[in-house]
């Protein structure tokens, strides 16, 4: 009976530690955007996120991520979001194995955005 309880306890611990990066660091990062001049609309994946200056949650992803700043009378500016490896994922290698790493990959939590504040200077369109 004690042996069965130990196995159940160990399985519970192993299950609770899978997808560590997703659980401990989430699937979004809060990123601030500012522009000169202010009042530019920030788009991510074609969806309006905010108007500068602003802070918004951006979902993590393994693919290249960009935001576009748009303001009437100014050229659009696209900015690549910087990201790096999320070290919390290493816990999955020790405890969660392939299942945990797979969950972190699916949610984008293998990486996290390394730059949390972006400032752009928009250029006026030539008349």
């Amino acid at each position: 009976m004690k042996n069965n309880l130990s196995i159940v306890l160990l399985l519970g611990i192993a299950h609770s530690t899978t997808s560590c990066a997703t659980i401990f660091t989430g699937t979004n990062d809060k990123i601030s955007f500012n522009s000169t001049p202010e009042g530019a609309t920030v788009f991510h994946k074609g969806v309006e996120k905010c108007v500068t200056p602003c802070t918004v949650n951006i979902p993590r992803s393994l693919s290249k991520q960009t935001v576009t700043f748009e303001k009437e009378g100014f050229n659009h500016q696209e900015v690549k979001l910087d990201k790096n490896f999320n070290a919390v994922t290493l816990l999955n290698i020790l405890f969660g194995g392939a299942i945990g790493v797979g969950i972190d990959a699916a949610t984008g939590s293998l990486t996290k955005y390394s730059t949390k504040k972006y400032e752009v200077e928009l250029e006026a369109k030539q008349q």
Side-chain angles (χ1 to χ4, degrees), residues 21-22 25-29 58-62 65 86 107-113 116:
T22 301
T25 64
T27 59
N28 299 297
D29 283 312
I58 301 291
R60 294 181 186 158
S61 175
L62 295 180
Q65 297 295 303
N86 188 355
T107 62
S109 291
L110 285 176
T111 62
K112 61 182 178 177
Y113 295 109
K116 303 291 192 213

Side-chain angles (χ1 to χ4, degrees), residues 4 6 23 34 38 42 44 46 48 56-57 59-60 70 78 82-84 87 91 98 102 110 115 125:
N4 288 341
S6 297
I23 293 169
N34 200 2
E38 293 181 348
V42 178
H44 177 249
E48 182 179 330
V56 66
N57 281 323
R60 294 181 186 158
E70 296 182 10
E78 187 175 275
D82 300 323
K83 56 187 173 177
N84 56 20
L91 293 174
L110 285 176
T115 303
K125 287 184 179 179

Side-chain angles (χ1 to χ4, degrees), residues 108-127:
S109 291
L110 285 176
T111 62
K112 61 182 178 177
Y113 295 109
S114 53
T115 303
K116 303 291 192 213
K117 186 174 185 179
Y118 291 86
E119 297 192 27
V120 299
E121 190 165 331
L122 298 173
E123 294 179 13
K125 287 184 179 179
Q126 298 294 329
Q127 299 295 330

Side-chain angles (χ1 to χ4, degrees), residues 55-119:
T55 301
V56 66
N57 281 323
I58 301 291
R60 294 181 186 158
S61 175
L62 295 180
S63 64
K64 173 184 161 189
Q65 297 295 303
T66 60
V67 293
T68 305
F69 291 79
E70 296 182 10
K71 183 172 174 72
E72 190 171 327
F74 293 84
N75 294 323
H76 301 343
Q77 187 165 345
E78 187 175 275
V79 175
K80 181 183 174 207
L81 299 179
D82 300 323
K83 56 187 173 177
N84 56 20
F85 179 71
N86 188 355
V88 176
T89 299
L90 294 175
L91 293 174
N92 279 330
I93 295 169
L94 297 174
F95 299 110
I99 294 171
V101 173
I103 292 169
D104 287 344
T107 62
S109 291
L110 285 176
T111 62
K112 61 182 178 177
Y113 295 109
S114 53
T115 303
K116 303 291 192 213
K117 186 174 185 179
Y118 291 86
E119 297 192 27

